Amino acid sequence: MYGCNNFCSYCVVPYTRGRERSRDPGRIEEEVRGLVGAGYKDITLLGQNVNSYGWGFPALLTRLDAIEGDYLIRFMTSHPKDATPELFEAMAASRHVARQLHLPVQSGSDRILEAMNRRYTAEKYLGLVRKAKELMPNLTLSSDIIVGFPGETETDFESTLDLVRTVRFDSLFTFAYSARKGTRAANMEDQIPNETKKARLAALMEAQQEVSFEKNKALEGSVQRVLVMGRDGLLEGRTEGGKPCYFEGDDVLIGSFVPVKITTGKSFVLYGELQ
Ligand code: SF4
């Protein structure tokens, strides 16, 4: 699907890409069937706001999941206001949908979320994460966060750090707010000085790096299903959760799923042994 109807106050997408338009589910099914038949293993459904897909996103996942074959389906990007228990149930019941969710929260402060026009609260977001993890205990969860949004106080930023420590994301994409011409936020008062943005970004990245390291460390000893993508010295692949994983092996494995026992978890990568 293309476009977005949300008008988050910092974002140009609704102006540049226009309103949401969703592709016909039958055409998508046909295309995925063709890709799976041609040997593609990792298929991503794309949309600026993919889970407000016009014909029902959980139903689309269930429909695609029925296609026989050895492949994974991922999707991005999801908006928390459109992420529902039905979505998590469809993921949990599927054979091919990766237990991976990118769910951008942007801030842990309700005041800032409102100024961003995100239309959910931190509590609502935490409730979604609880539900998703309850249904998929091995879910790999990532998010986007903007620091230094106009008017963001130290207290607002602390709320974001609290949320990050509570949720324990596997990884985070962090951004310092930068004004986009033509958006509402660009004209808001209380723009935050660059030094403050930089300091908050550094503090956030440090908090997350600790969590990422602990989460990858906790995978040591587990066996992960890894799709082998190529070679970078060692064989290089991606786990179902999308984490880069390196291990010894033969080039003949490139393009297939293999079981890998994780021996070392670092902040951004995993190392392992072929099983
Ligand atoms: Fe839409 Fe995402 Fe931009 Fe918000 S941030 S307006 S949901 S594309």
Side-chain angles (χ1 to χ4, degrees):
M1 61 179 296
Y2 312 89
C4 184
N5 298 346
N6 286 326
F7 291 93
C8 300
S9 60
Y10 52 85
C11 180
V12 290
V13 166
Y15 306 101
T16 55
R17 304 278 176 99
R19 296 301 84 76
E20 288 175 2
R21 284 146 288 149
S22 297
R23 288 184 58 199
D24 176 76
R27 299 286 300 277
I28 299 174
E29 182 184 340
E30 202 179 299
E31 192 177 334
V32 172
R33 219 176 259 290
L35 290 170
V36 171
Y40 286 83
K41 299 279 193 245
D42 199 325
I43 296 166
T44 304
L45 305 175
L46 285 177
Q48 260 85 34
N49 185 15
V50 76
N51 48 7
S52 74
Y53 175 67
W55 279 273
F57 194 62
L60 179 67
L61 288 181
T62 304
R63 179 170 177 170
L64 298 178
D65 186 55
I67 299 169
E68 289 303 330
D70 189 24
Y71 66 96
L72 275 179
I73 291 182
R74 306 179 194 278
F75 56 90
M76 70 185 301
T77 294
S78 300
H79 192 301
K81 93 174 164 41
D82 300 306
T84 55
E86 291 72 42
L87 169 67
F88 306 143
E89 279 156 14
M91 289 172 76
S94 77
R95 297 171 301 160
H96 299 108
V97 181
R99 271 46 171 176
Q100 178 195 9
L101 186 62
H102 182 65
L103 195 61
V105 63
Q106 307 299 7
S107 171
S109 156
D110 289 346
R111 216 175 58 79
I112 296 298
L113 287 171
E114 199 179 335
M116 288 175 162
N117 193 32
R118 293 290 290 175
R119 287 179 277 176
Y120 54 83
T121 60
E123 194 46 50
K124 160 100 193 286
Y125 186 89
L126 291 170
L128 285 173
V129 168
R130 264 196 303 276
K131 183 73 188 165
K133 286 189 173 174
E134 187 185 300
L135 289 166
M136 296 171 282
N138 57 352
L139 181 72
T140 301
L141 185 65
S142 57
S143 196
D144 295 338
I145 290 186
I146 298 170
V147 299
F149 187 81
E152 184 188 70
T153 62
E154 274 305 316
T155 312
D156 293 320
F157 178 61
E158 282 299 326
S159 305
T160 298
L161 284 180
D162 282 350
L163 182 135
V164 164
R165 293 192 184 111
T166 304
V167 174
R168 296 177 60 75
F169 295 106
D170 288 86
S171 60
L172 258 192
F173 297 87
T174 53
F175 306 89
Y177 170 77
S178 87
R180 296 282 182 267
K181 224 170 139 200
T183 60
R184 276 203 294 125
N187 296 322
M188 286 179 181
E189 291 178 358
D190 289 333
Q191 299 284 328
I192 305 295
N194 272 338
E195 310 77 74
T196 311
K197 286 186 206 168
K198 267 198 210 155
R200 288 180 188 167
L201 196 60
L204 178 61
M205 285 163 75
E206 194 185 321
Q208 178 55 38
Q209 199 168 335
E210 207 176 302
V211 179
S212 295
F213 177 68
E214 285 167 12
K215 295 207 79 164
N216 285 349
K217 199 96 196 122
L219 292 177
E220 289 179 1
S222 71
V223 175
Q224 301 288 318
R225 184 170 174 243
V226 174
L227 176 59
V228 190
M229 318 285 278
R231 178 176 290 285
D232 181 6
L234 299 169
L235 280 185
E236 180 187 13
R238 290 277 183 282
T239 63
E240 187 175 321
K243 298 188 179 192
C245 180
Y246 294 88
F247 51 98
E248 301 269 7
D250 196 282
D251 280 0
V252 75
L253 298 174
I254 293 171
S256 51
F257 289 103
V258 294
V260 175
K261 184 172 183 182
I262 306 304
T263 51
T264 310
K266 304 245 184 199
S267 291
F268 302 108
V269 294
L270 303 168
Y271 291 92
E273 284 166 2
L274 197 59
Q275 290 300 285

